Amino acid sequence: MHSTRNTAGLLQAWALQLPGQAATHLLRACLNERPSGQASWEHFERDVGNARRFFEGDCRGLKELLPFIADSIDCHGLHVDEAFRTYARVALVREELRGRIYHDVLRSVRASLCAEHIDYQCLRGAAISQRYYDSPLVRHNHAIDILLAPTDLQRTRSVLLDTFHQTGDSQFEHPSGLPLVLHTRLLDHPFCEDLPCRWPGDGAGTVPPTTTLLLHVLGTAACSQTHGNLRWVVDAWYLLRDTCGIDWPEFVAGAVQCGLAPFYHQVLRYLREQLDSDVPDAVLTSLEEASVCDPEAERRLFSSLLGSHWTHRAVWRALAFDRGLRARFLFFTVYPPGRYLRWRHGLASAGEVSRRRIGRPLRGYQRLNRSAQA
């Protein structure tokens, strides 16, 4: 049995994946009406100094939010520096042009799959931007993401090759340069059970229900290396506006099934407290009660932290509140399970995994040594 203290430490560690102070001020500025939004923007500028230089120097993908920021500045009447307003508006114009190409290609893909009677579901931007955003073209959509049953994967590849160039096992590229990714799981994580998915079975593509999309968006953020771009926060905020479309008991059941209840608890509490989203108390209570600290739960946490924008040294410092958890994180970093290495580095054979594990302690020591000398 694991103590309440261990569970509290697990929840606190998952909170490391939440947006920081400057990012929260930026999100509040974009999602809140004036005067609250204006005050948040001024806080953001004090946090980062020059906003344009901040975005130009960012390496976490925050530039992808610029079209949404430009639209929010206009919609909310925010007073911002004219140089930054122009900089953001250029990004918005480019995204609108790219967005039209994106949605044209998406319509073509959907028509091709429906013609072959292939069941599929759209994910991420392909599912969220047009149905939930006020202005669909302000959301940056990097790729078309399609969910399929594993049995339909080969047939779908054949259909796509009429138009797309295959760049990987499930990755394709349109002549316009737009990527397309095929998925057979709603949640791609080596230590998580997949999320439940309903298939209509009529050969017509669909968009998953709001509950499933919310589980998918937040669960993917816990596992993805790109969660620092904050698009997932904005997506979740828009999804939470569909209060009639969310089945909260089903959401809690899905969170418990996949094993990410601690992360779902922390991020929903953040969305409620910091961004004024409507999340019932009973949901947060149920998720907290389901947050059990066991070895498998820690592996999910460590996998997420290693895949985030945090450096190993930064995570080590941030986990100072729990020396036991920090020691186990260090061991996971030096001797990660084979499942993690296969997922993180795309390794196929047992030999590749063994070679990666053997060389990992030396590479870790060399990184720490270079960091200490810098």
Side-chain angles (χ1 to χ4, degrees):
M1 180 178 290
H2 295 269
S3 68
T4 303
R5 179 176 177 272
N6 287 340
T7 300
L10 184 71
L11 289 168
Q12 187 175 345
W14 271 114
L16 298 174
Q17 297 290 65
L18 300 177
Q21 175 179 284
T24 298
H25 286 146
L26 174 63
L27 290 165
R28 289 183 64 86
C30 293
L31 297 171
N32 290 347
E33 301 286 344
R34 293 183 66 191
S36 174
Q38 182 64 45
S40 295
W41 179 263
E42 292 168 3
H43 282 300
F44 168 70
E45 287 190 315
R46 283 197 291 271
D47 290 335
V48 303
N50 184 287
R52 177 169 178 170
R53 281 202 294 269
F54 169 76
F55 280 97
E56 288 176 338
D58 181 79
C59 58
R60 293 178 295 164
L62 284 176
K63 292 187 190 72
E64 296 171 0
L65 271 187
L66 282 169
F68 176 70
I69 294 170
D71 184 68
S72 298
I73 289 171
D74 291 342
C75 290
H76 298 165
L78 299 180
H79 298 301
V80 304
D81 177 73
E82 280 302 316
F84 179 79
R85 184 190 296 272
T86 302
Y87 173 66
R89 177 155 284 283
V90 169
L92 174 59
V93 171
R94 287 175 178 166
E95 190 58 43
E96 287 175 339
L97 293 173
R98 186 179 184 278
R100 292 188 178 95
I101 296 172
Y102 178 92
H103 289 292
D104 286 344
V105 175
L106 176 59
R107 279 191 292 270
S108 174
V109 169
R110 297 184 70 167
S112 298
L113 296 181
C114 287
E116 296 296 324
H117 302 287
I118 296 173
D119 278 334
Y120 70 91
Q121 297 198 37
C122 296
L123 298 178
R124 303 184 189 178
I128 295 170
S129 59
Q130 287 194 315
R131 176 173 289 189
Y132 296 94
Y133 274 64
D134 296 329
S135 304
L137 295 180
V138 305
R139 187 198 187 276
H140 175 76
N141 297 307
H142 174 69
I144 294 173
D145 293 276
I146 301 291
L147 177 70
L148 300 161
T151 53
D152 287 328
L153 194 56
Q154 187 54 50
R155 193 154 59 107
T156 303
R157 290 192 186 109
S158 300
V159 171
L160 292 175
L161 285 174
D162 291 340
T163 309
F164 287 76
H165 169 65
Q166 189 164 1
T167 58
D169 184 53
S170 299
Q171 292 81 40
F172 297 80
E173 186 175 287
H174 190 263
S176 65
L178 182 67
L180 182 147
V181 183
L182 301 178
H183 305 266
T184 56
R185 291 169 57 95
L186 276 168
L187 189 59
D188 181 21
H189 193 289
F191 302 106
C192 292
E193 294 292 327
D194 196 16
L195 295 166
C197 180
R198 302 174 191 157
W199 293 99
D202 57 4
T206 63
V207 171
T210 304
T211 306
T212 303
L213 279 175
L214 186 60
L215 283 163
H216 167 67
V217 166
L218 297 183
T220 300
C223 313
S224 173
Q225 293 178 282
T226 61
H227 84 283
N229 63 34
L230 301 183
R231 271 183 303 168
W232 63 275
V233 184
V234 181
D235 287 347
W237 187 86
Y238 276 109
L239 288 167
L240 285 167
R241 291 200 308 178
D242 183 20
T243 54
C244 296
I246 300 177
D247 183 330
W248 284 115
E250 180 182 332
F251 180 92
V252 172
V256 173
Q257 175 179 320
C258 72
L260 288 174
F263 178 72
Y264 286 120
H265 173 272
Q266 293 297 74
V267 73
L268 286 179
R269 189 175 74 169
Y270 169 85
L271 284 160
R272 187 175 78 165
E273 294 179 355
Q274 299 297 330
L275 301 179
D276 303 321
S277 293
D278 185 9
V279 180
D281 287 333
V283 172
L284 295 179
T285 300
S286 297
L287 290 172
E288 185 173 11
E289 290 173 350
S291 300
V292 178
C293 185
D294 57 26
E296 202 72 0
E298 290 187 348
R299 292 188 188 103
R300 296 182 195 108
L301 168 67
F302 298 156
S303 299
S304 178
L305 291 174
L306 286 180
S308 70
H309 64 276
W310 288 75
T311 64
H312 295 185
R313 183 181 289 268
V315 174
W316 173 259
R317 290 171 179 161
L319 293 178
F321 62 85
D322 189 325
R323 287 182 293 179
L325 188 66
R326 185 161 70 165
R328 292 189 293 276
F329 170 75
L330 178 61
F331 185 84
F332 185 96
T333 303
V334 177
Y335 295 105
R339 272 191 293 169
Y340 170 78
L341 292 175
R342 290 189 188 92
W343 170 72
R344 178 72 173 81
H345 300 288
L347 306 180
S349 68
E352 288 177 311
V353 172
S354 297
R355 286 191 293 273
R356 191 88 191 185
R357 292 191 77 180
I358 291 170
R360 194 173 178 95
L362 177 60
R363 289 193 297 273
Y365 170 78
Q366 290 171 338
R367 278 198 301 269
L368 288 173
N369 193 40
R370 286 195 298 269
S371 177
Q373 293 175 355

